[in-house]
Amino acid sequence: MLTAQAVFYYMAAASVASGLLAVTRRNPVQSMLWVLALFLHVAGIFLLLSAEFLAAVQVIVYAGAILIFYLFVVMLLDLPDEEAKPRFGKHWPFAACVGVATTLLAWLAQGAVAPAAGRLPDTGAAFTGSVAELGKALFGPFALPFELASLVLLAAIVGAVVLARKRGERT
Amino acid sequence: MIVPMSTVLAVSAILFGIGVFGFLARRNIILMLVSTEVMLNAVNLSLAGFSQHLDDPRGQVLALFVIAVAAAEAAVGLGIVIALNRNKPGAGVGDLTDLKQ
């Protein structure tokens, strides 16, 4: 149990550190690699929270697909003066204040939600985080939202193709 | 649960704050989009924590939908970045002032 706690605190500290490095690095490719470290550590936290399927999806979809997509775009675009220009806007102290305020607000809000466990409707069988139960939920009560998610992804594919195509180009 | 729920929520809140800071402070449009991904990941972390705390699969289902929408957002957002880059090379948001006139 103590080992699991130590691993959790390592994962938490490493995700916060790599998140901070990701938003402050000058080179976009380095930022992307720190975001990759962040995603992998968050996947580890998912494992500790007994969300195995979520951890797998995090590694496959986030780290494997979305982040590689971002890296491709960073490397495809010609960003000549990215290293020379300041990486932050002039208003960055204000942005830092907003970030800290958001964190504090979320921290204060947890006092309101944490005792809510007894008030939520009981779903019957105890949930152990197994993939089978998640699948039953996904294809049972959440079947319609699941199908809608595929529609959202289809719209995104079509939208990305339309946006990235050259103007007036016939396919 | 191996750690208290409040610890998970604190990590999630800190990550969300980092994402907010990155979105507001960075000038590179791609890194702004990545900051939104960091924020979405923080929310997923809370959802997974709640799912375990409340012993309920619905939190994880919601996190899966968040991941699906994040993938869609990345595709459309980067499509917009590529289209912008075609009209005006570079990825700084400071140059995108065409709507002013």
Side-chain angles (χ1 to χ4, degrees), chain A residues 106-129:
Chain A
W107 172 253
L108 291 176
Q110 66 149 315
V113 292
R119 292 204 298 275
L120 283 185
D122 198 8
T123 47
F127 174 58
T128 52

Side-chain angles (χ1 to χ4, degrees), chain B residues 1-94:
Chain B
M1 198 156 185
I2 54 165
V3 285
M5 181 62 196
S6 56
T7 316
V8 179
L9 287 182
V11 176
S12 164
I14 293 171
L15 281 179
F16 195 89
I18 291 171
V20 169
F21 166 71
F23 185 78
L24 292 177
R26 292 303 296 234
R27 295 158 56 99
N28 186 330
I29 196 164
I30 301 173
L31 287 169
M32 287 171 72
L33 282 174
V34 165
S35 300
T36 63
E37 302 288 343
V38 174
M39 283 191 265
L40 289 169
N41 229 295
V43 172
N44 280 347
L45 195 55
S46 314
L47 286 173
F50 277 124
S51 175
Q52 209 202 21
H53 180 63
L54 303 175
D55 213 16
D56 190 322
R58 286 178 288 184
Q60 290 189 26
V61 172
L62 200 52
L64 284 176
F65 289 139
V66 171
I67 290 177
V69 172
E73 176 251 318
V76 174
L78 290 176
I80 291 174
V81 170
I82 290 175
L84 279 175
N85 196 66
R86 185 174 300 130
N87 294 330
K88 188 176 278 187
V93 275

